[in-house]
Every structure is written in C-alpha cells, then in structure tokens.
Amino acid sequence: MVLFYKAVAAISSIATLATVSFLPVAKGSPYMISDDRVRKLDITPVLGRGYSIMTDSYHSTCLMVEDTTPPSYNYDYTFYEFTSQTETQRSLGGKLKKSFGFWKVKEEYSAQASSTSKTSSQTHMVVAVMRIERYYSSVREEVSPLSDDAKTLLNNQDYVGFFKACGPNYVRGIRRAQEITAIFRFQSSSTQVAKSFSAGLKVSGFFSSKDSSFASKSKFSQVRSSLSIKILGFGLGLNEEGSDTLVATSLEEYNEVMKFAFKSFTQSENSYAIGMVYGMEVVPWVDNSAFQVESKLLDDNILIPVPRSLIPKAPCKNANYVEDRNGYCCDTLQLYDTTTSTYTDDGANPSANICRVQRGLDKAVAKENMSANGEFVARLDAAMRYKLVQLSTMEKCISAANSYPSDYDDNILLPQDSVEYNEVIDASYSLMHLKIALDPFGDFGLVRHMAKELDEYIDMFYSPCLAALFGMNIDVTPDTEARFFAAYPWHTHDECMHLSCLATNMRWDRENGGCVPSLVLGSSSAAYGTGTECKKDVDSDDDTCKYTDAELGDYQIDATACWTQTSLNSFTVDYFMNHFCMPQLTADIIDTPVERNNDCDSGLRRRLVDNSTFEEKENSIKNLKKIDGY
C-alpha cells in the first residue's frame, strides 16, 4: 500500500498544549520520572502497565512481564543532630530532605522549638534514617509478550482503541525505596550533655561493638527520664517476622527495631518487589519490538511531498525535465493535476500542473508520529471522559439532593474529604443552595443543557479530530485509513488544533470555532451568539442547527438570573460538584435561607420549558451516555 502525505503547515502551538496539560519539559525517550507523579499512594505503578505522560494517568497492563533483571541496592544509615542552630541548618538542608520522613521531622522540630521556649531545660532532637534503594529492576522485553487482547487490537489496526486501553507508553523499569526513620526527643539543661548523648547514639547499636549501656551513666539521668522515640516506616512489607518490634520506648528496643528493619530490607522473600516507588522508566510503545511487529507499523511505504525548497527552479539543467506552472523543474511523471487530484504524464502542457515530487517517509518519523498521536489520543480521551463523568455525576448528585425531604433544605452541607476547605475563606451553603446551583428550576434542565453542549462538542471537535488522524482529509480519498495514523502528527490537523477544547469545563464556540467557557462555570460562562458553526440537524431539509441559539441562550440567561438572585453568581456549578457531591448534611442551619421563587420559579421563566412529557425527560437523562454512540 502507498500512502500520501499532505503538506505540513508551520506549527507554533505545541507549547500551548503543554500549558493546557501542565506538562514538565520532556527530554526524549525513555522518560525518567522521579517526582510526586509516581509517589502517590492511591495509584499502583506496575512493570508493563500503560502510562500517559500528557495526562499523568495509568492504563491497563498490556505487557505480560515474565521475567525482570535482578536489581541492585544502595544502603544508607545516617544520624542527624538538632542540638545546635548550626547542626540544625546543616541537617535540614542536607540529604535528609530526600527522605520520606523529612516533613514529619520538620514538624517534630517545630514542636521541639515551641516546647523549648516554655521550659528551663532545652528539648533536643536526634534523627536516625536507615534507607535502602533498589534500582535496575527492569522488564526483560525479549521474554515479555503483549497480552492477547492488545495483539487483537493491533491486528485489527484499532490504534485508538489500543492507546486508550494500554496508554501511549509503558513502565519498563521501577526504582523502589524502603526507609525507617527514628526521631529521638529528650530534654537536657546542658548542651554538652546533649551532644555527648547524641555521640553515644551514633557509636552504639546493632552495627557497633558497643551497646546502649552508655546511657546508664548518671549524667544522662535527665535524658533517660525524658527520652521519647518515634518510629516511622515507609514501604515496609506486611506480616514480616518481627514486625511487632516496630514500637520502641528504650534504646534496647530501638536496636531491635533496626535489626528487624535491616533483615526485612535485605533478606525477606520478594523484597525486590516491596517498597515505595521512588522513580520509574517510561518507554513509548512504538519503541517496543513486539508492538512494531504486531502493529505492522513498518510494513507500508508512506510517501510524502518533497519540500519545494529542494526542487530546482527554471531554467532546467536536465533536458528531460519540464517547467511547471510555478517555475519548478519537474519530471513529467511528477506533474500533479490539482483539479483531479491525480498525477498526469502531460508533458505537452506542463504549465497547467504543479510539480509534486514524492519520497518515502522515514520509518523513524512514522514511529514518532504514532507515538505523538498516541499521547494526544490519551489526552483527547481524558477530556471526553471528564465530560461524561461530570454529566453523570451531576445527574446523580441532583437525584441524591432531591432524595432528602424538604425539611432539610436549610441544613448546611458538609464538604467532601477530598477537597481543601477553609472555613475562613469558603462560605457555608445549604442543601437548597446545592439544588439551585445544579438544577436551578427543579426540572433537570441543566443536565439536559450540558448534554446538548456535549453532543455538539463531540460532533464539532472530537469526531472530526479523530477522523483527521486517520486521513479523512487526504485528497485521494474521502474515507479514513488506519495507516494514516502513523503518517500524520496530530498538530498538522486543523481539526485537532483547537487546544482550548482540551481544557476542562469548555463547550464548542458556535461563532469562531474552538471552545469557550461552558455553563458549568456559572455566570462567567460565554454567551451564545448567532454563529453557524454548530451541529447540524440531520433530519432537517436545510442546513439548520440541531440546537438553536435561542434554545441554548435563553436557558443560560434564565439560569444566570436564578443564580444571581440566590447570591450564587460568584461561584460555579463545578465548585459545588467538587465540594458537595454526593451531599452530606450537618445539623447546623444556614443563617440566610434561600427559596426557589421569582427568577428560580420554572413557571415564571421568560422562555417556557419544552413540552416533552415527564417520561420523555426521564428517558433522556438515562440515555445521556449514549450520545452519538460514544
């Protein structure tokens, strides 16, 4: 098969996408990630699991890891003193900052500083950190095949399906770390005694020939009586023998804790797979040999136009070349008729055609195109999935709010645990506030309005962009072709360059194209104009919009008036959904109750509600996820 590559326009908006997606700077393949993106405790990085850098999301495990390379280890056991200002600054500014327990140490030090100012004796602190790091644990790709389902997707050339399921990249290597942090706090009226005790801690213990009997000296009596030991463990395995020793109230018990930790770190079964993920190596699927074979990525010859800067201008030095209508020297076999979109061997009339010399697309470029498109598909799918989840959550939240009897309308809402809520900054809202914010007129009207916005978003941005990725715009055929997915990077398609549509809470702009703030942003949403860039009504005889400007605009005006009346115009629907869905109530009553009247009364709306029956409205809500078959 021979594919044709269209002319590529100059690109200046790639940085914009990075801004929209909040991406760090990438330095090439493979990608090394060793920050908070891999240290979250609510995700599970696994060798062979898919990962998208653009969306920072994990996907299915599509590489069956049969074997891994044996890891190597780094071991470190260090004491940090906080017995003087100089030592404190040195400890907090050194490698302690890289430990898992650093923020807890800072918290304890702040508490120490506060307690010291209230007593005659000074509170001192010593921190011991035992840490082991495992690295070079990587997939042996030569014995790790793709899963059967992933192979099926690639054999069917369903590249979008593959990248949605498996991600554009996969995890090839994982770096893990385990750590025990011990915080000693004690009081001493003498700095010299505190330093002496700290020095004794360093030279005693299970790694030293000296035991902890040094602490029995009379000069340490105040230290012994005030000594407290706090043990913090990170990345430990469960059900390990001796794990009951993780609590220490004396130096002898502390030494037992460290003995257990060292044994657990180095000798326990499956210790190579235990520990907090500290970093990982991410590789694009297109660099995997099994993927290249199954996808048949390198089987086709993709032809692209040679840049005109490389084509000689007339007068032609080669006697067999003719001059095209733009003055370029061309072989007659490379003359292209723009009216018929075909090549023509019309040497008699070359000035009627243009010179379009072709050459094969480099296989490495095809791989990079597919990798870039895979990342973009993951980002596009994340934007679409967010809208679908948002719509479903809105409907469920309204139903949950309506399930409470009206007697609870004035009860104050309890914020969700997943959000940061400041009682000083954030105002209190009642159940009725939530009902009006999500359903101004009590008729699920906002849900239906958001469904219309989503329907138009899919028709005007999502679907055209996917079609462009598969070559619908190529002049040789109006159909899509799977192999075009590797021929064109996403940023060469105008349909995909509406980067505002990848942001959250946006709708399609009917006047200028691209996307503008949706009604879910409340009164700050963009007004509807009289544009014609809309989803067309396929059942209509003329080229009319499926949803009229008046239909959408009037609801927006009415909803905004209702929110303004109830003092909700400064907040967004998205805010209420993130903070209070699904609703939980407190026993407190709001100081200033609100009601659905005047601008919030559906019977007084300046545009009457549609005449569909209750049953039709309920059916439309149940089928929201079936928009355009998505």
Side-chain angles (χ1 to χ4, degrees):
M1 178 186 293
V2 176
L3 305 181
F4 297 93
Y5 196 97
K6 69 178 180 180
V8 179
I11 302 302
S12 61
S13 301
I14 298 178
T16 306
L17 180 64
T19 302
V20 171
S21 305
F22 302 101
L23 297 180
V25 175
K27 296 184 178 180
S29 172
Y31 308 97
M32 307 304 299
I33 302 176
S34 57
D35 52 31
D36 289 340
R37 286 176 291 171
V38 297
R39 298 174 195 168
K40 303 172 187 175
L41 299 183
D42 52 354
I43 57 175
T44 308
V46 177
L47 291 175
R49 186 174 183 182
Y51 177 75
S52 170
I53 296 174
M54 189 174 286
T55 62
D56 185 26
S57 60
Y58 289 83
H59 297 256
S60 300
T61 302
C62 296
L63 191 67
M64 312 307 294
V65 179
E66 303 290 344
D67 195 10
T68 61
T69 57
S72 297
Y73 303 83
N74 283 348
Y75 177 81
D76 184 66
Y77 184 34
T78 307
F79 281 84
Y80 302 90
E81 287 190 44
F82 294 80
T83 55
S84 70
Q85 187 66 27
T86 302
E87 291 166 343
T88 297
Q89 292 177 353
R90 184 185 305 117
S91 297
L92 291 177
K95 64 179 182 180
L96 180 62
K97 293 180 67 174
K98 298 182 180 180
S99 71
F100 294 133
F102 174 70
W103 295 107
K104 188 63 178 178
V105 171
K106 286 196 66 175
E107 180 183 319
E108 289 290 328
Y109 176 72
S110 298
Q112 166 200 322
S114 175
S115 61
T116 298
S117 63
K118 300 177 182 179
T119 61
S120 58
S121 298
Q122 289 187 333
T123 301
H124 301 274
M125 193 169 79
V126 177
V127 175
V129 178
M130 178 187 288
R131 181 184 179 92
I132 191 167
E133 294 184 4
R134 299 181 182 84
Y135 50 94
Y136 298 153
S137 177
S138 179
V139 176
R140 288 189 58 197
E141 293 163 306
E142 70 274 16
V143 294
S144 301
L146 291 169
S147 67
D148 292 338
D149 292 337
K151 289 180 181 179
T152 300
L153 290 173
L154 291 176
N155 289 332
N156 293 335
Q157 296 185 342
D158 184 5
Y159 300 126
V160 170
F162 176 88
F163 288 123
K164 282 185 177 182
C166 305
N169 314 282
Y170 67 96
V171 180
R172 184 164 70 180
I174 290 181
R175 180 180 180 181
R176 298 180 184 272
Q178 291 178 280
E179 179 181 300
I180 287 285
T181 298
I183 303 175
F184 300 86
R185 291 185 62 185
F186 55 89
Q187 291 184 350
S188 175
S189 56
S190 170
T191 302
Q192 289 301 115
V193 171
K195 286 180 174 290
S196 179
F197 182 79
S198 176
L201 284 176
K202 294 180 182 180
V203 299
S204 67
F206 73 101
F207 272 140
S208 173
S209 58
K210 297 183 179 181
D211 56 27
S212 58
S213 59
F214 79 93
S216 61
K217 296 179 181 180
S218 59
K219 67 176 181 178
F220 296 137
S221 59
Q222 184 185 13
V223 173
R224 287 197 307 272
S225 62
S226 61
L227 178 65
S228 66
I229 305 174
K230 180 172 292 187
I231 304 293
L232 306 174
F234 301 91
L236 305 182
L238 296 176
N239 300 321
E240 295 284 350
E241 182 180 354
S243 59
D244 54 343
T245 64
L246 285 176
V247 177
T249 58
S250 65
L251 295 182
E252 290 76 12
E253 291 178 352
Y254 163 73
N255 287 333
E256 292 299 318
V257 170
M258 304 313 280
K259 288 179 183 179
F260 158 74
F262 182 77
K263 181 179 178 181
S264 173
F265 289 176
T266 59
Q267 302 175 24
S268 63
E269 185 179 1
N270 296 326
S271 61
Y272 66 91
I274 298 175
M276 294 185 67
V277 175
Y278 193 69
M280 69 181 185
E281 177 191 17
V282 177
V283 182
W285 279 111
V286 295
D287 288 342
N288 182 277
S289 57
F291 174 89
Q292 294 181 28
V293 172
E294 295 295 337
S295 67
K296 303 177 180 61
L297 173 61
L298 306 180
D299 289 356
D300 293 311
N301 182 31
I302 303 175
L303 299 179
I304 63 173
V306 173
R308 292 190 179 182
S309 59
L310 300 180
I311 303 175
K313 296 278 285 188
C316 304
K317 297 180 180 180
N318 191 323
N320 296 322
Y321 279 21
V322 295
E323 183 179 345
D324 75 348
R325 72 184 183 196
N326 296 317
Y328 289 96
C329 296
C330 191
D331 189 317
T332 56
L333 296 177
Q334 300 293 338
L335 290 173
Y336 187 78
D337 188 344
T338 57
T339 59
T340 61
S341 299
T342 58
Y343 282 87
T344 175
D345 186 10
D346 189 5
N349 188 24
S351 60
N353 305 307
I354 65 171
C355 186
R356 190 169 183 177
V357 182
Q358 295 178 327
R359 66 182 177 188
L361 178 64
D362 188 274
K363 303 300 183 183
V365 176
K367 287 171 53 180
E368 294 305 319
N369 289 344
M370 178 170 279
S371 179
N373 289 342
E375 277 286 2
F376 183 76
V377 164
R379 180 68 183 91
L380 188 64
D381 184 61
M384 172 59 70
R385 192 61 54 184
Y386 178 88
K387 290 180 177 295
L388 289 172
V389 171
Q390 184 182 63
L391 192 60
S392 176
T393 302
M394 180 183 293
E395 186 274 325
K396 290 180 180 178
C397 190
I398 293 173
S399 298
N402 290 339
S403 67
Y404 285 99
S406 58
D407 295 342
Y408 294 93
D409 282 350
D410 298 331
N411 285 65
I412 294 177
L413 293 165
L414 182 68
Q416 297 296 318
D417 295 335
S418 58
V419 298
E420 294 184 3
Y421 183 83
N422 190 319
E423 292 183 356
V424 177
I425 300 176
D426 291 301
S428 296
Y429 293 99
S430 67
L431 178 62
M432 179 54 75
H433 278 119
L434 179 66
K435 290 180 178 180
I436 293 176
L438 271 60
D439 191 17
F441 309 106
D443 59 354
F444 286 92
L446 183 58
V447 178
R448 291 196 299 276
H449 182 92
M450 297 303 300
K452 294 171 185 177
E453 287 189 354
L454 177 57
D455 191 17
E456 192 159 82
Y457 175 90
I458 294 173
D459 194 83
M460 301 302 293
F461 172 67
Y462 182 82
S463 295
C465 178
L466 284 182
L469 289 174
F470 282 102
M472 186 185 70
N473 295 331
I474 307 306
D475 49 9
V476 296
T477 173
D479 299 324
T480 59
E481 167 58 50
R483 289 298 166 180
F484 280 114
F485 193 80
Y488 301 101
W490 63 268
H491 49 73
T492 64
H493 302 292
D494 293 338
E495 295 85 350
C496 298
M497 286 300 289
H498 300 297
L499 302 184
S500 57
C501 295
L502 296 176
T504 57
N505 303 324
M506 305 292 278
R507 66 165 175 84
W508 181 254
D509 184 359
R510 296 177 148 211
E511 291 188 282
N512 306 308
C515 288
V516 292
S518 162
L519 189 56
V520 78
L521 292 180
S523 57
S524 61
S525 61
Y528 283 91
T530 57
T532 58
E533 296 293 322
C534 58
K535 176 172 182 174
K536 306 303 180 180
D537 188 356
V538 295
D539 296 325
S540 174
D541 294 334
D542 52 11
D543 197 33
T544 58
C545 296
K546 181 177 180 180
Y547 311 112
T548 65
D549 291 323
E551 176 184 0
L552 299 173
D554 285 350
Y555 185 86
Q556 180 189 39
I557 294 173
D558 292 343
T560 301
C562 173
W563 292 328
T564 301
Q565 172 188 299
T566 52
S567 301
L568 296 179
N569 54 306
S570 61
F571 288 87
T572 67
V573 177
D574 185 62
Y575 172 88
F576 276 91
M577 291 178 62
N578 290 332
H579 281 71
F580 304 115
C581 287
M582 301 301 172
Q584 300 180 59
L585 304 182
T586 67
D588 299 327
I589 304 300
I590 197 76
D591 293 335
T592 307
V594 294
E595 297 180 0
R596 272 201 182 107
N597 55 25
N598 299 328
D599 286 332
C600 295
D601 188 341
S602 61
L604 299 178
R605 287 182 58 192
R606 66 189 190 88
R607 185 187 67 81
L608 296 179
V609 206
D610 57 75
N611 295 323
S612 55
T613 64
F614 176 78
E615 182 179 358
E616 289 173 341
K617 293 178 181 179
E618 287 297 303
N619 288 336
S620 67
I621 293 171
K622 293 177 181 178
N623 293 312
L624 287 176
K625 291 187 178 180
K626 298 181 180 179
I627 297 176
D628 275 8
Y630 181 82

mmCIF file with all atom_site columns, all heavy atoms in Angstrom, residues 103-116:
data_model
loop_
_atom_site.group_PDB
_atom_site.id
_atom_site.type_symbol
_atom_site.label_atom_id
_atom_site.label_alt_id
_atom_site.label_comp_id
_atom_site.label_asym_id
_atom_site.label_entity_id
_atom_site.label_seq_id
_atom_site.pdbx_PDB_ins_code
_atom_site.Cartn_x
_atom_site.Cartn_y
_atom_site.Cartn_z
_atom_site.occupancy
_atom_site.B_iso_or_equiv
_atom_site.pdbx_formal_charge
_atom_site.auth_seq_id
_atom_site.auth_comp_id
_atom_site.auth_asym_id
_atom_site.auth_atom_id
_atom_site.pdbx_PDB_model_num
ATOM 1   N N   . TRP A 1 103 ? 9.231  15.666 56.126 1.00 0.00 ? 103 TRP A N   1
ATOM 2   C CA  . TRP A 1 103 ? 8.215  16.613 56.579 1.00 0.00 ? 103 TRP A CA  1
ATOM 3   C C   . TRP A 1 103 ? 7.772  16.308 58.011 1.00 0.00 ? 103 TRP A C   1
ATOM 4   O O   . TRP A 1 103 ? 7.464  17.237 58.779 1.00 0.00 ? 103 TRP A O   1
ATOM 5   C CB  . TRP A 1 103 ? 7.014  16.595 55.633 1.00 0.00 ? 103 TRP A CB  1
ATOM 6   C CG  . TRP A 1 103 ? 7.383  17.095 54.283 1.00 0.00 ? 103 TRP A CG  1
ATOM 7   C CD1 . TRP A 1 103 ? 7.538  16.367 53.131 1.00 0.00 ? 103 TRP A CD1 1
ATOM 8   C CD2 . TRP A 1 103 ? 7.701  18.454 53.936 1.00 0.00 ? 103 TRP A CD2 1
ATOM 9   N NE1 . TRP A 1 103 ? 7.932  17.172 52.097 1.00 0.00 ? 103 TRP A NE1 1
ATOM 10  C CE2 . TRP A 1 103 ? 8.041  18.459 52.549 1.00 0.00 ? 103 TRP A CE2 1
ATOM 11  C CE3 . TRP A 1 103 ? 7.733  19.645 54.651 1.00 0.00 ? 103 TRP A CE3 1
ATOM 12  C CZ2 . TRP A 1 103 ? 8.392  19.629 51.887 1.00 0.00 ? 103 TRP A CZ2 1
ATOM 13  C CZ3 . TRP A 1 103 ? 8.088  20.803 53.990 1.00 0.00 ? 103 TRP A CZ3 1
ATOM 14  C CH2 . TRP A 1 103 ? 8.411  20.786 52.619 1.00 0.00 ? 103 TRP A CH2 1
ATOM 15  N N   . LYS A 1 104 ? 7.780  15.047 58.394 1.00 0.00 ? 104 LYS A N   1
ATOM 16  C CA  . LYS A 1 104 ? 7.460  14.711 59.784 1.00 0.00 ? 104 LYS A CA  1
ATOM 17  C C   . LYS A 1 104 ? 8.577  15.171 60.716 1.00 0.00 ? 104 LYS A C   1
ATOM 18  O O   . LYS A 1 104 ? 8.316  15.648 61.824 1.00 0.00 ? 104 LYS A O   1
ATOM 19  C CB  . LYS A 1 104 ? 7.256  13.201 59.910 1.00 0.00 ? 104 LYS A CB  1
ATOM 20  C CG  . LYS A 1 104 ? 6.741  12.773 61.276 1.00 0.00 ? 104 LYS A CG  1
ATOM 21  C CD  . LYS A 1 104 ? 5.366  13.345 61.561 1.00 0.00 ? 104 LYS A CD  1
ATOM 22  C CE  . LYS A 1 104 ? 4.845  12.880 62.904 1.00 0.00 ? 104 LYS A CE  1
ATOM 23  N NZ  . LYS A 1 104 ? 3.519  13.481 63.206 1.00 0.00 ? 104 LYS A NZ  1
ATOM 24  N N   . VAL A 1 105 ? 9.820  15.080 60.256 1.00 0.00 ? 105 VAL A N   1
ATOM 25  C CA  . VAL A 1 105 ? 10.943 15.567 61.054 1.00 0.00 ? 105 VAL A CA  1
ATOM 26  C C   . VAL A 1 105 ? 10.826 17.077 61.259 1.00 0.00 ? 105 VAL A C   1
ATOM 27  O O   . VAL A 1 105 ? 11.033 17.593 62.357 1.00 0.00 ? 105 VAL A O   1
ATOM 28  C CB  . VAL A 1 105 ? 12.285 15.202 60.371 1.00 0.00 ? 105 VAL A CB  1
ATOM 29  C CG1 . VAL A 1 105 ? 13.444 15.903 61.070 1.00 0.00 ? 105 VAL A CG1 1
ATOM 30  C CG2 . VAL A 1 105 ? 12.493 13.697 60.391 1.00 0.00 ? 105 VAL A CG2 1
ATOM 31  N N   . LYS A 1 106 ? 10.481 17.804 60.189 1.00 0.00 ? 106 LYS A N   1
ATOM 32  C CA  . LYS A 1 106 ? 10.310 19.250 60.309 1.00 0.00 ? 106 LYS A CA  1
ATOM 33  C C   . LYS A 1 106 ? 9.192  19.584 61.294 1.00 0.00 ? 106 LYS A C   1
ATOM 34  O O   . LYS A 1 106 ? 9.295  20.530 62.079 1.00 0.00 ? 106 LYS A O   1
ATOM 35  C CB  . LYS A 1 106 ? 10.008 19.863 58.945 1.00 0.00 ? 106 LYS A CB  1
ATOM 36  C CG  . LYS A 1 106 ? 11.197 19.958 58.008 1.00 0.00 ? 106 LYS A CG  1
ATOM 37  C CD  . LYS A 1 106 ? 10.929 20.899 56.849 1.00 0.00 ? 106 LYS A CD  1
ATOM 38  C CE  . LYS A 1 106 ? 10.783 22.330 57.313 1.00 0.00 ? 106 LYS A CE  1
ATOM 39  N NZ  . LYS A 1 106 ? 10.636 23.279 56.187 1.00 0.00 ? 106 LYS A NZ  1
ATOM 40  N N   . GLU A 1 107 ? 8.119  18.810 61.237 1.00 0.00 ? 107 GLU A N   1
ATOM 41  C CA  . GLU A 1 107 ? 7.003  19.035 62.155 1.00 0.00 ? 107 GLU A CA  1
ATOM 42  C C   . GLU A 1 107 ? 7.433  18.822 63.598 1.00 0.00 ? 107 GLU A C   1
ATOM 43  O O   . GLU A 1 107 ? 7.094  19.598 64.495 1.00 0.00 ? 107 GLU A O   1
ATOM 44  C CB  . GLU A 1 107 ? 5.859  18.087 61.784 1.00 0.00 ? 107 GLU A CB  1
ATOM 45  C CG  . GLU A 1 107 ? 4.635  18.201 62.657 1.00 0.00 ? 107 GLU A CG  1
ATOM 46  C CD  . GLU A 1 107 ? 3.562  17.201 62.284 1.00 0.00 ? 107 GLU A CD  1
ATOM 47  O OE1 . GLU A 1 107 ? 3.349  16.984 61.076 1.00 0.00 ? 107 GLU A OE1 1
ATOM 48  O OE2 . GLU A 1 107 ? 2.943  16.621 63.205 1.00 0.00 ? 107 GLU A OE2 1
ATOM 49  N N   . GLU A 1 108 ? 8.198  17.745 63.840 1.00 0.00 ? 108 GLU A N   1
ATOM 50  C CA  . GLU A 1 108 ? 8.677  17.461 65.189 1.00 0.00 ? 108 GLU A CA  1
ATOM 51  C C   . GLU A 1 108 ? 9.649  18.542 65.662 1.00 0.00 ? 108 GLU A C   1
ATOM 52  O O   . GLU A 1 108 ? 9.648  18.939 66.828 1.00 0.00 ? 108 GLU A O   1
ATOM 53  C CB  . GLU A 1 108 ? 9.361  16.093 65.214 1.00 0.00 ? 108 GLU A CB  1
ATOM 54  C CG  . GLU A 1 108 ? 8.415  14.915 65.065 1.00 0.00 ? 108 GLU A CG  1
ATOM 55  C CD  . GLU A 1 108 ? 7.541  14.733 66.301 1.00 0.00 ? 108 GLU A CD  1
ATOM 56  O OE1 . GLU A 1 108 ? 8.002  15.029 67.410 1.00 0.00 ? 108 GLU A OE1 1
ATOM 57  O OE2 . GLU A 1 108 ? 6.385  14.302 66.145 1.00 0.00 ? 108 GLU A OE2 1
ATOM 58  N N   . TYR A 1 109 ? 10.486 19.024 64.753 1.00 0.00 ? 109 TYR A N   1
ATOM 59  C CA  . TYR A 1 109 ? 11.441 20.067 65.138 1.00 0.00 ? 109 TYR A CA  1
ATOM 60  C C   . TYR A 1 109 ? 10.712 21.355 65.513 1.00 0.00 ? 109 TYR A C   1
ATOM 61  O O   . TYR A 1 109 ? 11.084 22.038 66.469 1.00 0.00 ? 109 TYR A O   1
ATOM 62  C CB  . TYR A 1 109 ? 12.426 20.335 64.001 1.00 0.00 ? 109 TYR A CB  1
ATOM 63  C CG  . TYR A 1 109 ? 13.380 21.474 64.307 1.00 0.00 ? 109 TYR A CG  1
ATOM 64  C CD1 . TYR A 1 109 ? 14.401 21.314 65.234 1.00 0.00 ? 109 TYR A CD1 1
ATOM 65  C CD2 . TYR A 1 109 ? 13.225 22.720 63.691 1.00 0.00 ? 109 TYR A CD2 1
ATOM 66  C CE1 . TYR A 1 109 ? 15.261 22.364 65.543 1.00 0.00 ? 109 TYR A CE1 1
ATOM 67  C CE2 . TYR A 1 109 ? 14.073 23.769 63.981 1.00 0.00 ? 109 TYR A CE2 1
ATOM 68  C CZ  . TYR A 1 109 ? 15.090 23.591 64.905 1.00 0.00 ? 109 TYR A CZ  1
ATOM 69  O OH  . TYR A 1 109 ? 15.933 24.619 65.210 1.00 0.00 ? 109 TYR A OH  1
ATOM 70  N N   . SER A 1 110 ? 9.652  21.699 64.778 1.00 0.00 ? 110 SER A N   1
ATOM 71  C CA  . SER A 1 110 ? 8.868  22.890 65.107 1.00 0.00 ? 110 SER A CA  1
ATOM 72  C C   . SER A 1 110 ? 8.231  22.739 66.485 1.00 0.00 ? 110 SER A C   1
ATOM 73  O O   . SER A 1 110 ? 8.187  23.695 67.277 1.00 0.00 ? 110 SER A O   1
ATOM 74  C CB  . SER A 1 110 ? 7.792  23.121 64.045 1.00 0.00 ? 110 SER A CB  1
ATOM 75  O OG  . SER A 1 110 ? 8.371  23.348 62.776 1.00 0.00 ? 110 SER A OG  1
ATOM 76  N N   . ALA A 1 111 ? 7.731  21.535 66.770 1.00 0.00 ? 111 ALA A N   1
ATOM 77  C CA  . ALA A 1 111 ? 7.139  21.289 68.095 1.00 0.00 ? 111 ALA A CA  1
ATOM 78  C C   . ALA A 1 111 ? 8.200  21.381 69.175 1.00 0.00 ? 111 ALA A C   1
ATOM 79  O O   . ALA A 1 111 ? 7.945  21.889 70.278 1.00 0.00 ? 111 ALA A O   1
ATOM 80  C CB  . ALA A 1 111 ? 6.477  19.909 68.114 1.00 0.00 ? 111 ALA A CB  1
ATOM 81  N N   . GLN A 1 112 ? 9.414  20.913 68.870 1.00 0.00 ? 112 GLN A N   1
ATOM 82  C CA  . GLN A 1 112 ? 10.520 20.991 69.826 1.00 0.00 ? 112 GLN A CA  1
ATOM 83  C C   . GLN A 1 112 ? 10.871 22.438 70.131 1.00 0.00 ? 112 GLN A C   1
ATOM 84  O O   . GLN A 1 112 ? 11.041 22.832 71.292 1.00 0.00 ? 112 GLN A O   1
ATOM 85  C CB  . GLN A 1 112 ? 11.754 20.280 69.268 1.00 0.00 ? 112 GLN A CB  1
ATOM 86  C CG  . GLN A 1 112 ? 13.041 20.580 70.022 1.00 0.00 ? 112 GLN A CG  1
ATOM 87  C CD  . GLN A 1 112 ? 14.278 20.277 69.196 1.00 0.00 ? 112 GLN A CD  1
ATOM 88  O OE1 . GLN A 1 112 ? 14.294 19.304 68.459 1.00 0.00 ? 112 GLN A OE1 1
ATOM 89  N NE2 . GLN A 1 112 ? 15.299 21.100 69.320 1.00 0.00 ? 112 GLN A NE2 1
ATOM 90  N N   . ALA A 1 113 ? 10.966 23.255 69.077 1.00 0.00 ? 113 ALA A N   1
ATOM 91  C CA  . ALA A 1 113 ? 11.309 24.664 69.263 1.00 0.00 ? 113 ALA A CA  1
ATOM 92  C C   . ALA A 1 113 ? 10.262 25.372 70.109 1.00 0.00 ? 113 ALA A C   1
ATOM 93  O O   . ALA A 1 113 ? 10.572 26.229 70.937 1.00 0.00 ? 113 ALA A O   1
ATOM 94  C CB  . ALA A 1 113 ? 11.455 25.341 67.913 1.00 0.00 ? 113 ALA A CB  1
ATOM 95  N N   . SER A 1 114 ? 8.992  24.996 69.913 1.00 0.00 ? 114 SER A N   1
ATOM 96  C CA  . SER A 1 114 ? 7.910  25.628 70.674 1.00 0.00 ? 114 SER A CA  1
ATOM 97  C C   . SER A 1 114 ? 7.967  25.227 72.141 1.00 0.00 ? 114 SER A C   1
ATOM 98  O O   . SER A 1 114 ? 7.796  26.056 73.026 1.00 0.00 ? 114 SER A O   1
ATOM 99  C CB  . SER A 1 114 ? 6.558  25.234 70.065 1.00 0.00 ? 114 SER A CB  1
ATOM 100 O OG  . SER A 1 114 ? 5.496  25.733 70.839 1.00 0.00 ? 114 SER A OG  1
ATOM 101 N N   . SER A 1 115 ? 8.233  23.946 72.426 1.00 0.00 ? 115 SER A N   1
ATOM 102 C CA  . SER A 1 115 ? 8.258  23.477 73.816 1.00 0.00 ? 115 SER A CA  1
ATOM 103 C C   . SER A 1 115 ? 9.484  23.984 74.556 1.00 0.00 ? 115 SER A C   1
ATOM 104 O O   . SER A 1 115 ? 9.446  24.232 75.757 1.00 0.00 ? 115 SER A O   1
ATOM 105 C CB  . SER A 1 115 ? 8.218  21.946 73.852 1.00 0.00 ? 115 SER A CB  1
ATOM 106 O OG  . SER A 1 115 ? 9.359  21.405 73.192 1.00 0.00 ? 115 SER A OG  1
ATOM 107 N N   . THR A 1 116 ? 10.607 24.144 73.831 1.00 0.00 ? 116 THR A N   1
ATOM 108 C CA  . THR A 1 116 ? 11.834 24.623 74.466 1.00 0.00 ? 116 THR A CA  1
ATOM 109 C C   . THR A 1 116 ? 11.673 26.031 75.019 1.00 0.00 ? 116 THR A C   1
ATOM 110 O O   . THR A 1 116 ? 12.198 26.371 76.067 1.00 0.00 ? 116 THR A O   1
ATOM 111 C CB  . THR A 1 116 ? 12.996 24.581 73.455 1.00 0.00 ? 116 THR A CB  1
ATOM 112 O OG1 . THR A 1 116 ? 13.216 23.232 73.049 1.00 0.00 ? 116 THR A OG1 1
ATOM 113 C CG2 . THR A 1 116 ? 14.275 25.124 74.072 1.00 0.00 ? 116 THR A CG2 1
#
